Amino acid sequence: MYRNDFFKEVTLLICSSLDIRQSLQRCLTYMQKFFPLDEVLVSLADQDTQRWHLLAHAATDFSPSATEAVPLPPHIYSGYLQAVRGNTKLIDDTELDAFARAFEPYVKNKGFSEIILPLRIEEHDLGLLALRSRGKNRFTKEHVELITSVREPFAIATANAMRHKKLLDLKNQLDLDNHFLKNELKTQVRSDIIGENTSLARVMRMAKQVAGLTTTVLLLGETGTGKEVIANAIHRSSPRKDGPFIKVNCGAIPESLIDSELFGHEKGAFSGAVSQKPGRFERAHGGTIFLDEIGELPLQAQVRLLRVLQNKEIERVGGTTAIPVDIRVIAATHRDLQKMVSENLFREDLWFRLNAYPIVIPPVRHRRGDIPALLEYLVEVKSKELGFRIPPEIAPGAMDCLTKYPWPGNVREMENVVERALIQNKGRILSRDHFNLSEHSNCSSDRLGEMGRCLFPCLAKLSQEEGKKYDPLPETTNLEEVVGQHIKRVLKMTGGKVHGPNGAAELLGTNASTLRSRMKKLGIVVDGKVKRNSTSVVSG
């Protein structure tokens, strides 16, 4: 009669929680009424990876726990499988039993008696349930018969716990994928590319020629020239356009993590690998992977990448199974890979694979005709990001100077310069003073030239608005006198107003404080306030 009660109570307890560690701890407390019991363990073995781990471990002197999966030597693993496929085993002394001694490094079972109960469901081997008691000869045949009677409830609970854990791992992985893809989608991509019909015509023609193929593409060019934009264009024009586009900056991932990030890892592959994780190549399955800064890839990872390019398959860190991947690889670098090959910093065989279809992207200084359009686009985009309702215009003189600037940092530098100018701008027009260019600029010493260049169109515009004819040709060829004359004329037209909407500074496309400084230097008077060696230009 007590066996029926034992079966009923153990069944209820082992199924009392989705966390098998908690339910096993409750079973231990109850079964101690019938067994000289100190610990209960449920262990599993993965036949694909030959890894063993504790699914649950309950004991009287510490809380429920589980261990990470660890690889087993072949002879120990085969012994474990024999135990799983065998009958219930009684071990009176673990020090005298070969199977128990083999597992001593993993479960610290020295000096125990054990009962080993194989867990199976419909001919599917799951693992082992082990009952342990300190000392020798602690269990009897009656104990073996009693625990064997609850084999099925323990097997069902173990199978359910494994499925529940798998669902949790999948949910966590989906959450990670969702977060990853949201970050990837944050980058806004233009449907058109500035310069595609002019300075980038050759680049775009080559991109369209290769887009429909699976050939590996290598994008070459200086930092900030827009290699990612071209990679996006190739992906959007390819049959894989509905698949993922996964971006990887090879120089931004620590060398110790590069293999795991690119190729993924199995659970227990290293300390901290608590679950299986697919890498970037697996995420790109059915789509395109963009490997930026490929020249920064460590030599060890280069070997793995070569295998991907050759065999279209990857192997996770800690795994033994080859996983096929259907991907298109686009690589990019600003470095001289051929020189790196000669210096033994880059694998020659990988270089040959990557260099199948190289596309060279010209720097911004070779695309001067595109600079105004690039600047206007960036002003529009950055204005939206900063919350400006109406993007400001760029003064003609400033645009001329920006077009001549060499832009050593290419589009990336241009983006930063525009953002800084928008933050500093307090008016409607972006003047030269708002653009803080590097020492490569020759505009800082040409403020008078800029003022003169933007002066004539401004005056012509004013004259046109007032219905007057105005001859912009100066009466002198001295630059300072020319600038002084036109400042006076603009001040007269604005009624002496220097700053604010329709003020002289705005019409001249310069900062108000800069204009006042220039007026002071030229001795120009405003509102009847006479400067030294000057005459009023407004009150007269």
Side-chain angles (χ1 to χ4, degrees):
M1 184 65 181
Y2 81 93
R3 290 196 176 188
N4 292 336
D5 293 338
F6 178 82
F7 179 87
K8 178 181 178 181
E9 192 65 27
V10 169
T11 301
L12 291 174
L13 291 172
I14 196 62
C15 298
S16 62
S17 174
L18 288 173
D19 186 350
I20 193 172
R21 295 174 299 175
Q22 296 292 340
S23 56
L24 192 65
Q25 188 72 30
R26 294 166 187 165
C27 284
L28 170 68
T29 303
Y30 174 74
M31 290 192 302
Q32 284 176 328
K33 300 176 183 179
F34 303 90
F35 298 86
L37 202 55
D38 293 306
E39 299 179 23
V40 182
L41 305 88
V42 176
S43 63
L44 305 174
D46 187 333
Q47 297 186 27
D48 294 329
T49 63
Q50 294 192 1
R51 290 177 177 271
W52 170 93
H53 74 101
L54 288 179
L55 179 65
H57 181 195
T60 56
D61 54 356
F62 57 88
S63 59
S65 62
T67 65
E68 296 180 2
V70 294
L72 292 175
H75 67 284
I76 297 180
Y77 184 78
S78 62
Y80 182 89
L81 288 182
Q82 290 178 7
V84 170
R85 295 164 182 168
N87 298 318
T88 307
K89 184 175 183 179
L90 174 62
I91 301 175
D92 291 325
D93 185 354
T94 54
E95 295 185 48
L96 301 179
D97 185 86
F99 174 76
R101 285 201 312 271
F103 271 87
E104 197 278 330
Y106 307 103
V107 294
K108 310 298 181 186
N109 61 358
K110 187 175 182 180
F112 280 84
S113 300
E114 290 185 342
I115 298 178
I116 306 298
L117 178 67
L119 301 177
R120 293 188 296 271
I121 290 183
E122 298 177 351
E123 305 304 320
H124 293 288
D125 303 321
L126 299 177
L128 296 176
L129 172 71
L131 278 60
R132 299 169 61 187
S133 180
R134 291 183 179 85
K136 303 175 182 180
N137 303 309
R138 297 281 288 164
F139 295 117
T140 64
K141 292 182 179 180
E142 288 74 16
H143 291 139
V144 173
E145 293 175 1
L146 186 60
I147 195 62
T148 303
S149 68
V150 291
R151 181 204 304 267
E152 189 172 355
F154 270 103
I156 293 173
T158 299
N160 288 339
M162 292 168 61
R163 290 174 182 172
H164 180 250
K165 186 175 183 301
K166 187 175 182 179
L167 285 175
L168 290 179
D169 290 342
L170 287 173
K171 180 181 180 299
N172 291 335
Q173 189 59 54
L174 286 174
D175 290 341
L176 288 173
D177 288 345
N178 187 40
H179 178 72
F180 178 83
L181 291 174
K182 281 183 177 179
N183 288 336
E184 292 293 311
L185 291 173
K186 284 182 180 178
T187 304
Q188 298 181 357
V189 181
R190 285 173 58 103
S191 58
D192 60 328
I193 294 176
I194 296 173
E196 61 182 330
N197 296 320
T198 53
S199 58
L200 289 181
R202 181 176 179 275
V203 171
M204 296 308 299
R205 184 171 63 252
M206 294 182 68
K208 290 176 182 178
Q209 287 174 346
V210 78
L213 309 176
T214 59
T215 306
T216 300
V217 178
L218 179 63
L219 303 178
L220 302 169
E222 297 177 9
T223 299
T225 50
K227 294 185 284 292
E228 184 179 326
V229 175
I230 303 302
N232 257 308
I234 294 174
H235 173 71
R236 293 197 311 272
S237 302
S238 74
R240 300 170 179 269
K241 61 184 179 181
D242 295 326
F245 179 74
I246 303 300
K247 296 172 287 186
V248 183
N249 189 329
C250 299
I253 305 174
E255 186 172 347
S256 58
L257 298 177
I258 190 74
D259 281 352
S260 174
E261 282 295 318
L262 291 180
F263 310 105
H265 63 252
E266 299 289 351
K267 179 179 178 181
F270 50 84
S271 179
V274 295
S275 62
Q276 185 187 81
K277 177 186 174 183
R280 302 290 182 94
F281 280 97
E282 283 184 79
R283 294 178 193 272
H285 184 74
T288 303
I289 186 168
F290 175 53
L291 301 176
D292 199 8
E293 301 298 346
I294 191 71
E296 309 300 326
L297 201 64
L299 289 171
Q300 181 181 356
Q302 292 178 26
V303 177
R304 287 176 171 267
L305 175 58
L306 183 63
R307 180 180 178 183
V308 175
L309 296 176
Q310 289 177 336
N311 304 328
K312 300 295 182 182
E313 61 183 22
I314 60 104
E315 188 176 297
R316 294 181 185 143
V317 177
T320 57
T321 305
I323 302 173
V325 287
D326 176 22
I327 57 172
R328 185 348 161 25
V329 176
I330 301 177
T333 183
H334 70 281
R335 303 184 66 176
D336 186 345
L337 295 185
Q338 198 164 9
K339 182 179 179 182
M340 292 180 66
V341 169
S342 64
E343 295 172 350
N344 295 321
L345 297 176
F346 201 84
R347 290 184 62 94
E348 186 177 33
D349 46 6
L350 180 58
W351 155 247
F352 289 139
R353 284 280 178 179
L354 292 174
N355 201 41
Y357 196 84
I359 300 178
V360 179
I361 303 173
V364 171
R365 62 182 175 274
H366 294 164
R367 303 170 53 195
R368 296 200 182 278
D370 297 331
I371 290 179
L374 285 169
L375 287 167
E376 290 172 0
Y377 168 72
L378 290 173
V379 167
E380 180 181 354
V381 171
K382 289 299 178 181
S383 295
K384 289 181 181 179
E385 291 180 4
L386 296 172
F388 298 159
R389 289 196 307 167
I390 301 176
E393 297 178 2
I394 300 177
M399 182 64 82
D400 185 46
C401 178
L402 293 170
T403 302
K404 293 180 179 179
Y405 179 64
W407 298 108
N410 294 293
V411 179
R412 188 169 294 123
E413 181 188 5
M414 187 180 293
E415 186 177 2
N416 294 334
V417 167
V418 167
E419 184 171 6
R420 184 165 55 245
L422 288 171
I423 294 172
Q424 295 174 345
N425 177 34
K426 294 182 180 179
R428 191 167 56 85
I429 295 179
L430 289 171
S431 69
R432 167 63 185 83
D433 292 332
H434 292 121
F435 294 96
N436 184 17
L437 302 178
S438 70
E439 65 275 6
H440 295 275
S441 173
N442 60 357
C443 298
S444 57
S445 60
D446 193 27
R447 301 292 176 86
L448 288 173
E450 177 195 346
M451 193 174 293
R453 284 191 300 272
C454 71
L455 200 56
F456 298 110
C458 291
L459 291 173
K461 180 181 178 183
L462 264 179
S463 300
Q464 191 176 27
E465 289 175 354
E466 295 182 6
K468 300 176 182 178
K469 289 187 177 180
Y470 179 76
D471 183 6
L473 293 175
E475 298 174 356
T476 176
T477 58
N478 183 278
L479 184 57
E480 294 240 354
E481 292 180 11
V482 169
V483 172
Q485 289 174 14
H486 288 296
I487 290 177
K488 292 174 185 179
R489 288 168 182 166
V490 173
L491 285 169
K492 190 171 184 178
M493 290 176 179
T494 62
K497 185 177 180 181
V498 176
H499 66 276
N502 295 320
E506 180 179 297
L507 294 176
L508 292 172
T510 188
N511 187 274
S513 60
T514 303
L515 179 57
R516 289 185 186 278
S517 176
R518 179 60 54 192
M519 289 165 57
K520 182 177 180 180
K521 182 177 179 181
L522 296 173
I524 298 174
V525 179
V526 178
D527 297 333
K529 297 178 181 178
V530 182
K531 306 291 182 181
R532 185 179 57 183
N533 300 325
S534 65
T535 57
S536 174
V537 298
V538 176
S539 57

